[in-house]
Amino acid sequence: MTTDVKPSSRERLLEAAATLTYREGVNIGIEALCKAAGVSKRSMYQLFAGKDELLAASLERRASAYVAGLLPAADDGRAARDRIAHVFERVTSQSADPEFRGCPYLSAEIELKDPDHPASRVARQVKADLTSFFRAEAEQGGAGDPDFLARQLTLVFDGASARAGIGAEHLDGFLAPTVAILLDAAGVR
Amino acid sequence: MTTDVKPSSRERLLEAAATLTYREGVNIGIEALCKAAGVSKRSMYQLFAGKDELLAASLERRASAYVAGLLPAADDGRAARDRIAHVFERVTSQSADPEFRGCPYLSAEIELKDPDHPASRVARQVKADLTSFFRAEAEQGGAGDPDFLARQLTLVFDGASARAGIGAEHLDGFLAPTVAILLDAAGVR
DNA sequence: AGTGATGTACACCGATCGGTTTTCTTTTTT
DNA sequence: AAAAAAGAAAACCGATCGGTGTACATCACT
């Protein structure tokens, strides 16, 4: 048996923090996090320096899975335009889940309101990575101004997840054609 | 003298609530709000049923001023396209203020995470009003699908204010051309 | 001057916050 | 089996949360 039946305390804490802060917001209490993780507060404070660091670590841990769930495979042979569209198809399908509350990294930055908070730094980096992906694909796709297009796509990504996350917009059949307009205008074929 | 030297307790509370929740988030304490307003807690609880209602009332009070600061004059004789662009010029110039933290109504909805919260209802209505404005102008401007365009513009509005609000994007020279692309694609001349 | 309303100041309520300490039990190591 | 390390449970810390109760000052209206 190579798979543990029960993840480590550290992993359970990170998982609980990711789940609960996403659902309830970053103001969720330490007590609730530890209870959900089945870990004592004492142990939590031996594993993490404090709430801020736990929060940052939980966002960071999720980052690779989050980005992986959004981005297409590194080289799937598809055209840049399709690879960009893939990201927006993913967020569209994610938004169909009633538990969807928008991009956790955007929410964290908005809720924290402190760019120096460790979790804000992690969130910023995740967004920067997404923009970098867009920029690379835009370049690959022959966009007239790849940087400009990448920023537009990130803006649309955040706007779409924010609005879908608060239940104000329904992305299916809406987001893809909107993105297509920007890709067309940028000369990505 | 028709102007009071000192606004009423109610007005000072609404003002303080608007300012502090925008700067610090909706989790700001009642104590801090009352202290900033120079009003006792006792008086606050005679004027408002509780924190939720104070918060909702403060968002509502700001709503007309917020929308008025964004929208062009009711009939300024300009073309629909210019009237739509006006809104994005306004948010662009607002975002230059270092105190800018994005649209307070979007932030409130994201932070509260409860669509039934009185303040969420107010915020939702403000956004619906903005979308209505876009839709009316889109129709006036001859958009092929006015509703579709209005939703796109609201999405861009929220994405732009969110990203500018967390300091991730700088709207000047970026937002206007992005909106222009959508207007062009929708056939608004 | 007397009276009631309004409002401030402040102690107080139970609950919870982030964080620490102590005690006891479980697990691991030897 | 004995010893040692780890962790869970829970009390506890001071501070703050939303909200109340009480006492005292200020005001307008007769």
Side-chain angles (χ1 to χ4, degrees):
Chain A
M1 252 219 259
T2 59
T3 60
D4 287 25
V5 280
K6 191 175 185 182
S8 71
S9 294
R10 182 185 169 85
E11 280 166 8
R12 276 178 289 142
L13 274 168
L14 292 173
E15 187 64 29
T19 302
L20 288 183
T21 59
Y22 184 56
R23 187 193 308 151
E24 315 275 349
V26 297
N27 279 287
I28 183 77
I30 283 279
E31 208 111 36
L33 292 181
C34 290
K35 175 156 291 190
V39 173
S40 71
K41 282 212 287 181
R42 189 73 178 79
S43 303
M44 188 253 126
Y45 278 104
Q46 278 171 226
L47 291 166
F48 300 95
K51 189 192 181 184
D52 294 355
E53 281 67 29
L54 169 58
L55 190 49
S58 99
L59 287 188
E60 191 162 37
R61 178 188 172 77
R62 283 246 161 154
S64 55
Y66 180 74
V67 172
L70 238 34
L71 267 45
D75 56 343
D76 56 1
R78 293 153 71 202
R81 183 175 178 116
D82 295 334
R83 290 169 55 77
I84 290 171
H86 177 91
V87 175
F88 293 95
E89 286 158 18
R90 296 296 304 124
V91 66
T92 298
S93 87
Q94 282 175 15
S95 72
D97 186 338
E99 302 292 299
F100 182 76
R101 294 277 116 91
C103 169
Y105 301 94
L106 179 63
S107 295
E109 284 195 74
I110 291 178
E111 289 172 38
L112 291 171
K113 291 185 198 303
D114 173 12
D116 293 330
H117 191 294
S120 289
R121 298 180 194 277
V122 174
R124 212 180 309 137
Q125 186 57 53
V126 170
K127 288 291 174 189
D129 290 349
L130 180 62
T131 303
S132 289
F133 166 80
F134 285 145
R135 185 166 34 237
E137 296 297 326
E139 224 165 297
Q140 193 67 25
D145 188 341
D147 197 79
F148 187 59
L149 176 59
R151 289 165 65 200
Q152 289 178 326
L153 293 173
T154 306
L155 186 152
V156 167
F157 180 90
D158 278 348
S161 37
R163 290 195 58 74
I166 62 175
E169 189 58 83
H170 142 249
L171 303 183
D172 197 68
F174 170 63
L175 186 55
T178 300
V179 170
I181 291 169
L182 295 175
L183 293 172
D184 288 343
V188 174
R189 56 225 150 266
Chain B
M1 258 221 255
T2 58
T3 59
D4 287 23
V5 279
K6 191 175 183 181
S8 71
S9 294
R10 182 184 169 85
E11 281 166 8
R12 274 178 292 141
L13 274 168
L14 292 173
E15 186 64 28
T19 303
L20 287 183
T21 59
Y22 184 57
R23 187 194 308 152
E24 313 276 348
V26 298
N27 279 288
I28 183 78
I30 284 278
E31 208 111 34
L33 291 182
C34 289
K35 175 156 290 190
V39 174
S40 70
K41 275 206 304 182
R42 207 75 191 80
S43 304
M44 188 254 126
Y45 278 104
Q46 280 169 230
L47 291 166
F48 299 95
K51 189 191 180 184
D52 293 355
E53 282 67 30
L54 169 59
L55 190 49
S58 99
L59 286 189
E60 193 161 37
R61 177 191 173 76
R62 284 246 160 155
S64 55
Y66 181 74
V67 173
L70 238 36
L71 268 44
D75 54 345
D76 57 0
R78 292 153 72 201
R81 183 174 176 115
D82 294 335
R83 290 167 56 75
I84 290 171
H86 177 91
V87 174
F88 292 95
E89 285 159 17
R90 296 298 301 124
V91 66
T92 299
S93 87
Q94 281 174 16
S95 71
D97 185 338
E99 301 292 299
F100 182 76
R101 293 277 116 89
C103 169
Y105 301 94
L106 179 63
S107 295
E109 286 195 75
I110 291 178
E111 289 173 37
L112 292 171
K113 293 185 197 303
D114 173 12
D116 294 329
H117 191 293
S120 290
R121 297 182 195 276
V122 174
R124 214 180 306 136
Q125 186 57 51
V126 170
K127 288 291 173 188
D129 290 349
L130 180 63
T131 303
S132 290
F133 166 80
F134 285 144
R135 183 163 37 237
E137 297 295 327
E139 226 165 296
Q140 192 67 25
D145 188 341
D147 198 79
F148 187 61
L149 176 58
R151 289 164 65 202
Q152 289 178 327
L153 293 173
T154 305
L155 187 152
V156 168
F157 180 91
D158 277 350
S161 38
R163 289 195 59 73
I166 61 175
E169 189 56 86
H170 148 248
L171 304 183
D172 197 68
F174 170 63
L175 186 55
T178 300
V179 170
I181 290 169
L182 296 175
L183 293 172
D184 288 344
V188 173
R189 55 225 153 265

